[in-house]
Amino acid sequence: MAQEQVKKNYIRNWSEYNERLVRRGEMYIDLDFIEGWDEEIKKQNDGKRGRPYLYPETLIRSSAIIYELFHLPYRQMEGFYRKLSKYIEKMKAADYTTLFRRIRRINIEVPEALKDGAVIAVDSTGIKVTNRGEWLREKWKVHRGWLKVHIAVDVKTKKILGIEITDERVSDPKMFRNLISRAEKKT
């Protein structure tokens, strides 16, 4: 009965949802900084005293966004740029020390479009109904059953977004949609 109600109430605009996921990727790999690489470095170094900049500010800003969104360590980011520079001849791979020093000076704000979703983990566990007389049930093959607790949790905040208690006959996939719809209401 509850499953039928969930199916009737579960409506999602899939084209809108798909478009939001696609837009997230547009920001992640924005290589526009390569087109104006030389001109931007020339402007940055004009009148600068000391060691000249080797990498444009737009590369560093893109790196800062990657760092904020993916929590990619600086050495791995250097490896990412090394590999990318093999395919883009104009690009030079920034070393991790330069990335660290320059990203640290930038106050980057991640666009709201990238923050709109939550990462939710869904799992379940069983709880034995009773321990009393366990040896009798084992001897006579009497099955008492389990309580099954299905839970949805926001991975980042560790906040419980949905919880359902069933018996052991209800599978995880049957409860998934119900838990997700509860979680959507709370996020």
Side-chain angles (χ1 to χ4, degrees):
M1 177 82 174
Q3 290 290 341
E4 292 172 17
Q5 288 175 341
V6 170
K7 287 180 183 177
K8 289 179 186 175
N9 295 334
Y10 187 76
I11 299 171
R12 173 175 279 177
N13 184 343
W14 286 105
S15 60
E16 181 184 303
Y17 175 73
N18 185 51
E19 186 59 31
R20 277 191 304 175
L21 293 176
V22 169
R23 278 195 319 259
R24 285 183 188 177
E26 288 174 359
M27 184 67 168
Y28 296 161
I29 305 183
D30 183 7
L31 301 176
D32 290 342
F33 61 83
I34 295 169
E35 293 173 16
W37 185 288
D38 295 329
E39 295 83 28
E40 188 175 349
I41 289 179
K42 192 174 185 179
K43 283 181 186 177
Q44 284 179 259
N45 290 325
D46 189 35
K48 181 183 184 311
R49 295 180 63 178
R51 185 175 178 175
Y53 288 114
L54 299 174
Y55 310 103
E57 187 68 19
T58 50
L59 169 72
I60 303 303
R61 287 198 171 276
S62 297
S63 301
I65 290 171
I66 290 170
Y67 179 77
E68 284 295 318
L69 291 175
F70 299 119
H71 306 289
L72 192 66
Y74 295 107
R75 283 183 174 91
Q76 288 178 352
M77 202 177 309
E78 179 183 349
F80 170 75
Y81 284 128
R82 275 188 195 171
K83 199 60 155 176
L84 195 60
S85 68
K86 287 183 180 180
Y87 299 104
I88 303 170
E89 62 184 64
K90 204 175 192 183
M91 184 179 168
K92 297 174 196 160
D95 63 282
Y96 68 90
T97 305
T98 301
L99 291 169
F100 170 74
R101 289 179 181 158
R102 291 201 43 202
I103 288 174
R104 194 174 56 180
R105 288 187 248 149
I106 295 176
N107 182 16
I108 194 78
E109 290 185 29
V110 178
E112 285 300 317
L114 300 175
K115 293 181 182 177
D116 65 352
V119 178
I120 300 171
V122 178
D123 202 1
S124 65
T125 187
I127 301 170
K128 201 182 293 192
V129 176
T130 182
N131 274 339
R132 197 177 97 216
E134 186 69 30
W135 69 273
L136 280 174
R137 283 192 292 285
E138 185 67 33
K139 180 180 178 184
W140 298 105
K141 307 292 185 219
V142 176
H143 182 70
R144 275 289 186 200
W146 296 74
L147 290 177
K148 199 167 185 181
V149 179
H150 305 267
I151 191 167
V153 178
D154 184 333
V155 172
K156 194 171 193 174
T157 64
K158 312 292 190 256
K159 181 180 172 186
I160 295 175
L161 301 174
I163 190 165
E164 289 283 334
I165 299 174
T166 63
D167 62 18
E168 78 276 4
R169 293 173 291 192
V170 179
S171 67
D172 293 346
K174 285 183 180 177
M175 294 308 299
F176 181 77
R177 194 173 284 213
N178 194 11
L179 286 169
I180 294 299
S181 65
R182 285 177 180 238
E184 283 179 335
K185 290 175 186 172
K186 289 190 176 183
T187 56

